Amino acid sequence: MKLETQRRRLRQRATRLRGNVAELARRRERNRGRRARNWVPSVAITGYTNAGKSALLNRLTGADAQVQDVLFATLDPTVRRISTGDLTYTVTDTVGFVRHLPHQLVDAFRSTLEEVSGSDLVLHVVDAAAPDALEQITTVHGVLHEIGAGDVPELLALNKIDVAPAEWVAALCRACPEAVPVSALTGEGVDRLRAELAARLGRR
């Protein structure tokens, strides 16, 4: 009897949580619709987990998004606005990816990941100090295709150049010639990144 009662409570809680997720998805869809009607371009920050996405968002926008060196620290999208000259656009921080992302997690983060597929540009943040940075880029590309965002234009930002070996950064730049090397910690390269974001969005 006690076990059955616990199961019933868990089923009820799961139903409530699914309802909450569905309502959040509807709310975000309405927000995306308002931004589209107002012709406000949108940038979704994505990348492998712990690449420094939230730190780069803070550096780009002066926001105070949560920054933690833990898996899936960002579960709810953080949206901020940037103005560069005559151009105003939104930047959204999203959940970090890992290899072999389980389908259950894809479903759980569906409303968060929809921010990526509905964006005008993906800002793909790469940890340039990671020995397997190129493999991480491939992993993120695989997840983007899985969630239907494979055809969204992409800009690579090679983050953490303040700690990455110079030869690693040079090799990544050769492999990804259009990438922008930056440091969310020191601010190096961030002005160039803002200019490139504005240029890409201006051509959309």
Side-chain angles (χ1 to χ4, degrees):
M1 286 289 293
K2 183 177 181 180
L3 183 60
E4 182 57 35
T5 299
Q6 290 175 338
R7 286 175 175 168
R8 184 168 59 252
R9 288 175 179 170
L10 286 173
R11 285 194 296 267
Q12 291 170 347
R13 185 182 178 196
T15 299
R16 285 196 304 271
L17 289 173
R18 281 194 293 268
N20 291 341
V21 168
E23 175 55 31
L24 283 172
R26 287 190 293 268
R27 189 181 310 161
R28 289 171 187 147
E29 183 60 34
R30 289 194 296 269
N31 290 338
R32 283 195 295 270
R34 282 195 294 270
R35 293 200 297 268
R37 286 194 299 273
N38 292 328
W39 296 99
V40 178
S42 60
V43 175
I45 300 182
T46 190
Y48 207 80
T49 189
N50 294 332
K53 298 180 300 298
S54 297
L56 189 56
L57 173 71
N58 291 342
R59 176 65 71 169
L60 281 169
T61 67
D64 56 354
Q66 179 186 26
V67 178
Q68 290 185 1
D69 186 19
V70 296
L71 191 63
F72 305 134
T74 303
L75 300 181
D76 193 42
T78 300
V79 183
R80 295 292 182 267
R81 187 179 294 262
I82 295 180
S83 293
T84 303
D86 295 332
L87 178 67
T88 297
Y89 57 95
T90 61
V91 181
T92 304
D93 190 15
T94 62
V95 65
F97 299 149
V98 294
R99 289 184 185 87
H100 311 302
L101 187 65
H103 286 284
Q104 298 94 322
L105 289 180
V106 172
D107 289 339
F109 301 149
R110 178 70 60 184
S111 57
T112 301
L113 298 175
E114 283 172 355
E115 292 287 342
V116 183
S117 57
S119 65
D120 296 295
L121 178 68
V122 170
L123 178 57
H124 179 172
V125 182
V126 180
D127 180 357
D132 60 343
L134 287 175
E135 295 178 22
Q136 293 185 10
I137 292 173
T138 300
T139 295
V140 171
H141 285 164
V143 178
L144 290 176
H145 280 283
E146 184 177 352
I147 64 174
D151 58 346
V152 179
E154 176 192 67
L155 174 61
L156 280 176
L158 305 178
N159 192 27
K160 303 185 184 181
I161 60 172
D162 53 303
V163 295
E167 61 272 21
W168 292 14
V169 177
L172 287 170
C173 287
R174 288 194 297 271
C176 311
E178 295 188 353
V180 179
V182 298
S183 169
L185 182 63
T186 68
E188 182 180 356
V190 171
D191 287 342
R192 178 187 166 192
L193 180 60
R194 285 197 192 96
E196 185 62 28
L197 286 169
R200 296 283 187 98
L201 292 172
R203 295 197 298 265
R204 74 188 183 99

